[in-house]
Amino acid sequence: MPTPAIPIILEVWNAIKTKIEVDFASDYSGLDLTGRVFQGRFTDAPIVGSAYIAFIDETERNGPSLTRYQGDIRYQIYCFNYGSNNYTRTSAAIKLGADVHNALLADRTLGLAAGRIDNIIVQTAALDGDEFGLNSIGIAVLELTVQFQSDRGI
Protein backbone atom coordinates (compact mmCIF):
# COMPACT_ATOMS: atom_id res chain seq x y z
CA MET A 1 0.00 0.00 0.00
CA PRO A 2 1.27 3.52 -0.69
CA THR A 3 2.43 5.59 2.25
CA PRO A 4 -0.06 8.34 3.17
CA ALA A 5 1.09 11.94 2.65
CA ILE A 6 1.12 12.61 6.41
CA PRO A 7 0.68 10.49 9.56
CA ILE A 8 -2.90 10.17 10.81
CA ILE A 9 -1.95 12.13 13.95
CA LEU A 10 -1.25 15.23 11.81
CA GLU A 11 -4.14 14.55 9.44
CA VAL A 12 -6.59 14.55 12.38
CA TRP A 13 -4.90 17.54 14.07
CA ASN A 14 -5.29 19.60 10.87
CA ALA A 15 -8.91 18.44 10.42
CA ILE A 16 -9.76 19.51 13.98
CA LYS A 17 -8.37 22.98 13.28
CA THR A 18 -10.38 23.24 10.06
CA LYS A 19 -13.60 22.23 11.84
CA ILE A 20 -13.30 24.73 14.69
CA GLU A 21 -11.67 27.74 12.98
CA VAL A 22 -15.05 29.14 12.02
CA ASP A 23 -17.45 31.95 12.88
CA PHE A 24 -19.67 31.06 15.85
CA ALA A 25 -21.50 34.42 15.71
CA SER A 26 -24.91 32.75 15.75
CA ASP A 27 -23.98 30.10 18.33
CA TYR A 28 -23.50 30.08 22.12
CA SER A 29 -20.32 32.17 22.30
CA GLY A 30 -21.03 34.61 19.48
CA LEU A 31 -17.30 34.60 18.63
CA ASP A 32 -15.51 34.38 15.31
CA LEU A 33 -12.54 32.02 15.64
CA THR A 34 -11.35 32.60 12.07
CA GLY A 35 -7.57 33.02 12.34
CA ARG A 36 -7.73 32.44 16.12
CA VAL A 37 -7.13 28.68 16.37
CA PHE A 38 -3.54 27.57 16.99
CA GLN A 39 -1.84 24.19 17.02
CA GLY A 40 0.44 23.45 19.93
CA ARG A 41 0.48 24.50 23.55
CA PHE A 42 0.29 28.16 24.45
CA THR A 43 3.45 29.54 26.05
CA ASP A 44 2.39 33.11 26.77
CA ALA A 45 -0.88 34.76 27.63
CA PRO A 46 -3.29 33.57 24.96
CA ILE A 47 -5.36 35.70 22.66
CA VAL A 48 -8.75 36.08 24.33
CA GLY A 49 -11.45 34.55 22.19
CA SER A 50 -9.23 31.79 20.82
CA ALA A 51 -8.49 28.08 20.93
CA TYR A 52 -5.26 26.11 21.12
CA ILE A 53 -5.14 22.45 20.06
CA ALA A 54 -2.46 20.29 21.70
CA PHE A 55 -1.57 16.72 20.74
CA ILE A 56 -1.29 14.46 23.81
CA ASP A 57 -0.66 10.89 22.68
CA GLU A 58 -1.61 8.03 20.39
CA THR A 59 -2.20 4.40 21.33
CA GLU A 60 -2.73 1.66 18.79
CA ARG A 61 -3.65 -2.00 18.88
CA ASN A 62 -4.11 -4.75 16.32
CA GLY A 63 -7.29 -4.50 14.32
CA PRO A 64 -9.63 -7.22 13.11
CA SER A 65 -7.01 -8.46 10.62
CA LEU A 66 -3.23 -8.40 10.29
CA THR A 67 -3.38 -5.50 7.84
CA ARG A 68 -5.54 -3.19 9.96
CA TYR A 69 -4.78 -1.24 13.12
CA GLN A 70 -7.14 0.51 15.49
CA GLY A 71 -6.15 3.25 17.85
CA ASP A 72 -6.96 6.30 19.90
CA ILE A 73 -5.43 9.74 19.43
CA ARG A 74 -5.88 12.25 22.24
CA TYR A 75 -5.85 16.03 21.91
CA GLN A 76 -6.69 18.84 24.29
CA ILE A 77 -8.37 22.01 23.09
CA TYR A 78 -8.03 25.06 25.32
CA CYS A 79 -10.78 27.64 24.72
CA PHE A 80 -10.12 31.12 26.13
CA ASN A 81 -12.74 33.78 26.76
CA TYR A 82 -13.07 36.93 28.83
CA GLY A 83 -15.23 37.70 31.87
CA SER A 84 -15.23 40.25 34.68
CA ASN A 85 -15.78 37.69 37.45
CA ASN A 86 -15.33 33.96 37.93
CA TYR A 87 -18.83 33.01 36.85
CA THR A 88 -18.97 35.19 33.72
CA ARG A 89 -15.53 34.15 32.46
CA THR A 90 -16.18 30.47 33.18
CA SER A 91 -19.59 30.70 31.49
CA ALA A 92 -18.09 32.47 28.48
CA ALA A 93 -15.36 29.81 28.17
CA ILE A 94 -17.90 26.98 28.49
CA LYS A 95 -20.04 28.57 25.76
CA LEU A 96 -17.02 28.69 23.45
CA GLY A 97 -16.16 25.11 24.41
CA ALA A 98 -19.74 24.06 23.58
CA ASP A 99 -19.45 25.69 20.14
CA VAL A 100 -16.19 23.84 19.50
CA HIS A 101 -17.71 20.58 20.78
CA ASN A 102 -20.74 20.93 18.50
CA ALA A 103 -18.57 21.78 15.48
CA LEU A 104 -16.52 18.63 16.00
CA LEU A 105 -19.49 16.33 16.51
CA ALA A 106 -21.41 17.69 13.50
CA ASP A 107 -19.26 15.31 11.42
CA ARG A 108 -17.65 12.59 13.54
CA THR A 109 -15.42 11.63 10.59
CA LEU A 110 -13.88 15.13 10.61
CA GLY A 111 -14.33 15.12 6.85
CA LEU A 112 -11.60 12.51 6.37
CA ALA A 113 -11.74 9.53 4.01
CA ALA A 114 -14.34 6.89 4.80
CA GLY A 115 -13.20 4.33 7.34
CA ARG A 116 -10.43 6.45 8.87
CA ILE A 117 -12.26 7.82 11.93
CA ASP A 118 -14.60 5.61 13.94
CA ASN A 119 -15.71 8.05 16.63
CA ILE A 120 -14.88 11.15 18.64
CA ILE A 121 -15.39 11.28 22.40
CA VAL A 122 -15.24 14.69 24.12
CA GLN A 123 -14.76 15.43 27.82
CA THR A 124 -15.02 19.01 29.10
CA ALA A 125 -13.61 20.82 32.13
CA ALA A 126 -13.33 24.50 33.04
CA LEU A 127 -10.57 26.47 34.75
CA ASP A 128 -10.30 30.01 36.06
CA GLY A 129 -7.37 31.75 34.39
CA ASP A 130 -6.81 33.88 37.49
CA GLU A 131 -5.37 30.75 39.16
CA PHE A 132 -2.61 30.70 36.54
CA GLY A 133 -1.91 34.42 36.23
CA LEU A 134 -4.26 34.87 33.26
CA ASN A 135 -6.41 37.61 34.76
CA SER A 136 -10.08 37.80 33.76
CA ILE A 137 -9.79 34.79 31.45
CA GLY A 138 -11.94 31.67 31.60
CA ILE A 139 -10.63 28.45 30.11
CA ALA A 140 -12.66 25.52 28.84
CA VAL A 141 -10.55 22.40 28.34
CA LEU A 142 -11.89 19.81 25.93
CA GLU A 143 -10.13 16.47 25.80
CA LEU A 144 -10.80 14.62 22.57
CA THR A 145 -10.28 10.93 22.04
CA VAL A 146 -10.38 10.19 18.32
CA GLN A 147 -10.80 6.52 17.51
CA PHE A 148 -9.26 5.59 14.15
CA GLN A 149 -8.37 2.74 11.82
CA SER A 150 -5.31 2.49 9.65
CA ASP A 151 -3.42 0.02 7.49
CA ARG A 152 -0.09 0.93 9.11
CA GLY A 153 -0.69 2.28 12.62
CA ILE A 154 0.16 5.94 12.67
Side-chain angles (χ1 to χ4, degrees):
M1 301 205 102
T3 301
I6 61 173
I8 193 165
I9 292 168
L10 298 177
E11 185 179 13
V12 170
W13 201 355
N14 294 336
I16 291 168
K17 181 178 181 187
T18 299
K19 291 291 181 185
I20 69 173
E21 193 171 38
V22 297
D23 189 351
F24 295 117
S26 61
D27 295 309
Y28 295 121
S29 68
L31 293 176
D32 183 357
L33 287 190
T34 304
R36 298 174 79 87
V37 175
F38 307 95
Q39 291 167 288
R41 299 200 183 271
F42 59 96
T43 56
D44 295 317
I47 297 170
V48 178
S50 66
Y52 288 70
I53 311 163
F55 167 71
I56 300 173
D57 63 17
E58 179 267 344
T59 305
E60 65 187 51
R61 55 201 167 275
N62 291 336
S65 69
L66 291 176
T67 59
R68 296 297 294 172
Y69 295 90
Q70 296 172 319
D72 297 328
I73 309 171
R74 291 188 316 139
Y75 302 89
Q76 285 183 333
I77 301 176
Y78 300 88
C79 302
F80 298 95
N81 212 342
Y82 173 79
S84 60
N85 62 48
N86 180 277
Y87 178 76
T88 59
R89 64 181 156 261
T90 301
S91 296
I94 289 171
K95 288 177 182 179
L96 180 55
D99 288 342
V100 167
H101 186 148
N102 288 337
L104 291 169
L105 297 187
D107 175 8
R108 288 182 181 265
T109 69
L110 296 173
L112 301 180
R116 296 283 280 161
I117 305 300
D118 290 331
N119 199 7
I120 300 172
I121 311 278
V122 182
Q123 297 178 48
T124 304
L127 303 169
D128 185 353
D130 281 6
E131 296 177 32
F132 307 99
L134 302 173
N135 296 333
S136 302
I137 296 176
I139 308 165
V141 182
L142 283 66
E143 185 165 312
L144 278 62
T145 301
V146 179
Q147 299 168 337
F148 72 94
Q149 291 192 35
S150 171
D151 63 348
R152 64 184 68 243
I154 61 169

